[in-house]
Amino acid sequence: MPGDAMGNNTEQQSNPDIIYQFILFIVKGGKNSERAVDNLQALCNQWLPNRHNIKVIDVVKEFETALEYNIVLTPSVVLIDPEPQTIIYGDLSDSERFLNVLNIKRNLDGK
Amino acid sequence: MGNNPTYKELEEKLQQATQILDALQSHKADAVIGTDQIAMMRLKEVEDQLRKQIQISSNRLKEIESIYKNVPVGLCILNTDLEFIRINNHLAEMNGIPADEHIGKTISELLPNLNNDIEAKLEKVIKKGESQMNVEISGETPAQPGLKRYWLHHWLPLYSKMDNKLLGINMVIQEITDRKKYEQKLKKLNESLEERVQARTESLLSYQSQLRSLASQLSKAEEQERQQLATELHDNLGQMLAMGKMKADLLHNEDLPEETISKIDEIRDLMDDALSYSRKLISDLKPPPTLKEDLLSSMEWLQNKMEDHGLKVILHDDGNSKPTTEEIRTTLLQAVRELLFNVLKHTEVKEARLKLLRHKDQVKIVVEDKGEGFNPDEIAVSEDEGGFGLFNVRERLDLLGCSFNISSEKDEGTTITILAPLKNGGKEEEETEQIPEQSLSSKGGHKIKVLLADDHKLVRQGLKKIINAENDMTVVAEAADGEEAIKETRKVVPDIILMDVNMPVKNGIEATQEIMKEMSQVRVVGLSLHDDEKVTKSMREAGASAYLTKNEAFKTLCATIRSEASVTLKN
């Protein structure tokens, strides 16, 4: 699993209870997709340092995977783990919304 | 849960749908994924780009539209049925019909008074799909009825960018009516200029020909004056001197005292001098009649004359015959005389070369001297005697179709070449047959019948006196000119004719020729003031069997008559 992951490794985390697993569906070269990659990386670095794993999938190349996760447009990010599986559409420029949808703030505060 | 979704599930779905719509509306999606394909979405970019493109295009279109409308060139587009689909204001104004009234109509419907089969030509452009430039069209339009106008058309086939299909013809039209007007004016101006130049040339040519004719007249007048003077000297002074001499000779033979005889002899010597001086004067003034015969002998005579004046002329003839008309011969003689006198007058040299050459159908005369030379242009316009003479010579030669060329350089001498046309293009004329000398038939015992032909009564009287003084001869008839001599000869058939060379109507040479043709038995003795070999030769060639000069006539006349008559007797 960690070998497949992109982004920060979670092995050295002091609190490795929850590792956020993301799959980011993009179209290579798409302006929104590029923005989404940058935004997700920035959000994760800020809010989930060393506690995230991002897998980027180009839907043109891995069309089946997109269908498997019911993706209807790119860019879309799917939070695989922790449950429940959640999809966020768009370029992730609205960070508030990202945090709300994924309950990240609440979870972190709950710690 | 079963088939009915829970409220939460529905809420989640709605939330997702909202998010999707939101992403789509805010252009935050790159691609939409369907069940079997992906639709790439760059709506915002595309829209922006499209908007930009549309803006640029519409600006451009406005620019083009403005140019199209306002350019001072007629522009229009016809469809393949040759109907107007677009026209600019300039062309509409040129046609005198509002622009919108053109649309959907053909040229022939709107402008029926255009010439040059414009529609037939346009159809060819449609058919071939090739452009045609610089087509001149003319005719009338409602803009200026009754005025013929001109246009230059350029026709360019118009193709669709999508499928390269021919849409119609793009026409560019320039009005050239003013240009045409100026061209026509210019043409008329040119024509009138040409006419004026022509008229001017003609008047110049006429002046030139007048000048030539004046020069020729002047030269002829000069010649006539010389002739007249020579004739006066010959006819009066010469004859009187000859008579005086004859009378003095007669006195010398009379039985007179010694003292008187010696005085008479002095008078005779003076008379001799006067006679020879007058002969020289006469021969200088006019060439003897033999010169009418051929060019070479004319030039030989001139050679002798020039030597008398102190110029040695080295004459070279190529030996070819050079038949020329009398007029040309006379002119050539005058020309060469003028040229040789020029050598004497203008150079220090005492020698000149004169070459007579046959050059195809022309006779070429070259006069060369080794003098200081001169500038031919200067002498041609100089008004001194030599210059005018040379100018005169030139004009006369020119008039007779001869060419005249001077080549002269300072210290190099002068070479003048004259080319003159030969008679009949140089074809040989039949040689006049030499009349064989025949003896006259004088009846033995009878007196020798003598006919005197001389235009001077005094001379005839003197000769008659001498002849009639002899026992064996008598003057049977007299004639005052050549023609009369022929008539009298026919009438009296004399044994001997004493024939003067210089006579009016027909000269002695011509009369002798005719007489010899008719009556070869008659013998002619030539008689002249001239003591000249050439004259002698001419008379002999004409048929005269002897020749006497008037001043020796007294001494040898009777002896000659006898000897001529004896030839007849012997035969």
Side-chain angles (χ1 to χ4, degrees):
Chain A
M1 272 294 241
D4 293 331
M6 276 184 72
N8 294 340
N9 207 307
T10 57
E11 281 168 31
Q12 292 151 14
Q13 291 301 127
S14 52
N15 185 10
D17 297 22
I18 305 164
I19 302 287
Y20 281 82
Q21 301 282 350
F22 296 103
I23 300 178
L24 180 57
F25 292 93
I26 58 142
V27 173
K28 204 177 177 191
K31 291 257 186 295
N32 288 312
S33 298
E34 277 168 10
R35 266 199 295 273
V37 172
D38 293 344
N39 286 338
L40 182 60
Q41 198 75 62
L43 285 166
C44 290
N45 284 346
Q46 190 184 346
W47 296 104
L48 305 164
N50 303 321
R51 293 173 60 201
H52 66 274
N53 200 346
I54 302 165
K55 190 178 179 184
V56 179
I57 286 179
D58 183 356
V59 295
V60 177
K61 284 182 184 161
E62 294 179 54
F63 184 58
E64 298 300 325
T65 320
L67 287 181
E68 193 185 308
Y69 285 93
N70 292 314
I71 299 299
V72 293
L73 60 80
T74 62
S76 305
V77 65
V78 182
L79 175 67
I80 309 286
D81 201 38
E83 294 276 330
Q85 189 174 307
T86 312
I87 303 177
I88 301 172
Y89 298 99
D91 63 356
L92 308 175
S93 52
D94 188 348
S95 52
E96 260 330 285
R97 190 163 143 252
F98 172 80
L99 297 172
N100 285 339
V101 170
L102 300 184
N103 281 324
I104 289 172
K105 258 187 181 170
R106 195 180 52 222
N107 288 351
L108 289 175
D109 292 343
K111 286 279 152 196
Chain B
M1 288 193 219
N3 289 334
N4 296 325
T6 62
Y7 175 75
K8 191 159 189 258
E9 277 171 345
L10 279 172
E11 203 183 45
E12 272 174 16
K13 290 263 180 216
L14 187 64
Q15 236 175 30
Q16 280 191 1
T18 310
Q19 275 188 50
I20 290 167
L21 268 176
D22 209 34
L24 284 171
Q25 276 175 350
S26 60
H27 306 292
K28 287 185 176 153
D30 286 333
V32 177
I33 299 155
T35 47
D36 54 359
Q37 62 182 343
I38 305 166
M40 300 295 173
M41 295 183 57
R42 286 177 185 145
L43 289 178
K44 181 80 172 110
E45 276 169 57
V46 171
E47 200 183 300
D48 287 350
Q49 277 185 1
L50 271 177
R51 270 186 222 285
K52 257 189 212 167
Q53 282 296 322
I54 288 165
Q55 193 60 43
I56 292 168
S57 300
S58 86
N59 286 347
R60 274 202 164 169
L61 211 62
K62 271 180 197 161
E63 282 168 27
I64 292 168
E65 194 70 29
S66 157
I67 293 170
Y68 197 88
K69 272 189 177 168
N70 302 314
V71 71
V73 170
L75 297 170
C76 69
I77 296 172
L78 305 183
N79 62 18
T80 48
D81 294 328
L82 303 181
E83 291 163 346
F84 284 91
I85 53 177
R86 187 184 284 273
I87 181 164
N88 76 342
N89 292 339
H90 191 81
L91 183 55
E93 274 168 29
M94 271 203 284
N95 291 344
I97 299 165
D100 51 3
E101 283 180 30
H102 283 80
I103 309 305
K105 301 228 172 79
T106 62
I107 293 173
S108 57
E109 282 167 351
L110 292 165
L111 307 161
N113 294 327
L114 287 191
N115 310 327
N116 318 78
D117 303 325
I118 180 164
E119 288 194 329
K121 287 175 184 170
L122 285 167
E123 269 164 19
K124 273 187 198 164
V125 175
I126 296 279
K127 211 172 163 186
K128 289 187 178 171
E130 285 169 7
S131 56
Q132 208 174 336
M133 311 299 280
N134 302 311
V135 185
E136 205 177 295
I137 302 291
S138 63
E140 285 175 30
T141 63
Q144 281 165 293
L147 177 77
K148 189 175 183 188
R149 296 163 72 195
Y150 296 87
W151 298 271
L152 203 60
H153 279 220
H154 311 287
W155 300 331
L156 307 139
L158 192 66
Y159 291 99
S160 153
K161 272 195 175 172
M162 310 273 265
D163 50 10
N164 214 28
K165 209 177 125 187
L166 187 70
L167 297 176
I169 303 173
N170 205 341
M171 297 173 75
V172 181
I173 298 157
Q174 286 169 276
E175 175 146 18
I176 53 166
T177 309
D178 284 347
R179 197 173 92 188
K180 273 268 168 196
K181 230 190 280 171
Y182 291 128
E183 273 174 11
Q184 276 163 4
K185 265 189 192 170
L186 198 66
K187 202 181 157 197
K188 270 187 196 161
L189 216 66
N190 266 338
E191 276 167 9
S192 88
L193 192 68
E194 265 169 38
E195 272 170 31
R196 274 186 287 167
V197 169
Q198 177 93 24
R200 189 103 186 123
T201 311
E202 271 166 23
S203 79
L204 274 175
L205 283 174
S206 134
Y207 285 143
Q208 202 177 19
S209 112
Q210 277 176 23
L211 195 65
R212 275 185 195 161
S213 133
L214 277 174
S216 162
Q217 277 172 20
L218 190 69
S219 168
K220 273 183 186 159
E222 206 179 280
E223 192 59 26
Q224 270 172 8
E225 210 165 316
R226 279 164 174 274
Q227 290 269 0
Q228 209 177 338
L229 203 57
T231 310
E232 282 294 310
L233 282 173
H234 172 269
D235 289 3
N236 298 312
L237 185 65
Q239 304 300 336
M240 281 189 262
L241 286 171
M243 271 319 296
K245 174 74 180 0
M246 263 189 263
K247 288 197 170 169
D249 284 347
L250 282 172
L251 278 176
H252 174 82
N253 284 12
E254 303 253 322
D255 195 12
L256 290 167
E258 189 93 358
E259 208 177 310
T260 316
I261 294 284
S262 102
K263 287 232 167 95
I264 287 169
D265 283 348
E266 275 175 36
I267 294 169
R268 283 173 67 202
D269 289 346
L270 277 171
M271 295 292 257
D272 269 340
D273 289 348
L275 258 174
S276 65
Y277 180 69
S278 80
R279 270 200 307 275
K280 185 172 180 301
L281 211 57
I282 291 163
S283 99
D284 274 356
L285 283 170
K286 89 176 189 189
T290 47
L291 294 183
K292 289 179 181 172
E293 299 308 312
D294 77 278
L295 193 64
L296 178 60
S297 52
S298 303
M299 293 301 167
E300 279 169 347
W301 171 82
L302 185 62
Q303 180 187 29
N304 288 335
K305 284 285 144 250
M306 292 315 293
E307 251 159 60
D308 291 348
H309 288 283
L311 182 74
K312 191 184 175 195
V313 178
I314 301 160
L315 181 62
H316 165 78
D317 181 76
D318 64 2
N320 294 321
S321 77
K322 300 170 197 72
T324 42
T325 63
E326 192 186 320
E327 197 178 11
I328 285 192
R329 261 198 320 274
T330 312
T331 309
L332 286 176
L333 185 70
Q334 284 175 345
V336 174
R337 186 170 61 188
E338 192 72 47
L339 296 175
L340 291 173
F341 269 113
N342 273 348
V343 174
L344 268 182
K345 276 188 255 177
H346 301 292
T347 71
E348 299 291 318
V349 296
K350 296 286 169 221
E351 192 180 279
R353 282 176 185 277
L354 173 60
K355 290 181 195 163
L356 303 181
L357 307 163
R358 167 109 181 220
H359 185 73
K360 290 175 188 169
D361 56 352
Q362 285 180 310
V363 54
K364 184 176 177 181
I365 297 178
V366 183
V367 181
E368 287 173 337
D369 71 67
K370 295 288 170 203
E372 306 91 276
F374 62 93
N375 180 351
D377 294 332
E378 277 170 23
I379 203 135
V381 291
S382 139
E383 282 185 14
D384 72 5
E385 205 190 337
F388 186 72
L390 206 58
F391 170 76
N392 212 346
V393 162
R394 248 187 155 147
E395 289 298 318
R396 281 215 68 190
L397 288 170
D398 208 10
L399 202 66
L400 293 170
C402 308
S403 78
F404 183 89
N405 181 46
I406 305 177
S407 144
S408 180
E409 268 174 43
K410 280 260 174 228
D411 308 320
E412 291 281 317
T414 305
T415 302
I416 292 165
T417 310
I418 301 169
L419 280 172
L422 288 174
K423 198 176 171 184
N424 304 324
K427 282 169 203 145
E428 292 299 324
E429 280 183 67
E430 279 177 38
E431 292 281 330
T432 42
E433 271 180 45
Q434 285 280 342
I435 299 150
E437 278 192 27
Q438 282 188 12
S439 322
L440 64 108
S441 54
S442 175
K443 287 144 200 163
H446 281 191
K447 281 187 175 180
I448 302 164
K449 293 191 283 179
V450 180
L451 189 153
L452 289 177
D454 196 303
D455 53 333
H456 298 96
K457 209 178 168 190
L458 268 174
V459 176
R460 291 203 304 273
Q461 281 174 350
L463 291 170
K464 195 173 172 181
K465 204 171 174 185
I466 296 168
I467 292 163
N468 285 348
E470 302 297 317
N471 293 331
D472 53 346
M473 53 190 78
T474 178
V475 173
V476 291
E478 287 177 46
D481 60 60
E483 196 64 56
E484 212 182 318
I486 296 165
K487 277 184 196 160
E488 288 299 316
T489 306
R490 286 189 192 123
K491 217 190 279 172
V492 300
V493 193
D495 299 314
I496 303 284
I497 304 171
L498 285 178
M499 184 79 83
D500 184 20
V501 176
N502 289 313
M503 282 191 294
V505 189
K506 248 181 200 151
N507 69 29
I509 298 166
E510 290 163 323
T512 305
Q513 272 178 347
E514 279 192 41
I515 289 167
M516 292 319 286
K517 270 182 203 163
E518 268 183 55
M519 290 159 282
S520 57
Q521 74 275 21
V522 179
R523 296 190 74 82
V524 177
V525 175
L527 202 60
S528 172
L529 267 183
H530 297 289
D531 180 12
D532 192 309
E533 268 181 41
K534 272 135 218 154
V535 180
T536 316
K537 197 177 157 220
S538 296
M539 270 307 271
R540 283 194 186 276
E541 276 169 6
S545 39
Y547 187 83
L548 295 172
T549 55
K550 285 183 189 172
N551 70 330
E552 66 179 4
F554 173 76
K555 284 183 223 160
T556 53
L557 179 67
C558 298
T560 308
I561 292 173
R562 272 187 207 101
S563 110
E564 285 303 311
S566 74
V567 176
T568 327
L569 294 174
K570 274 179 200 161
N571 289 344

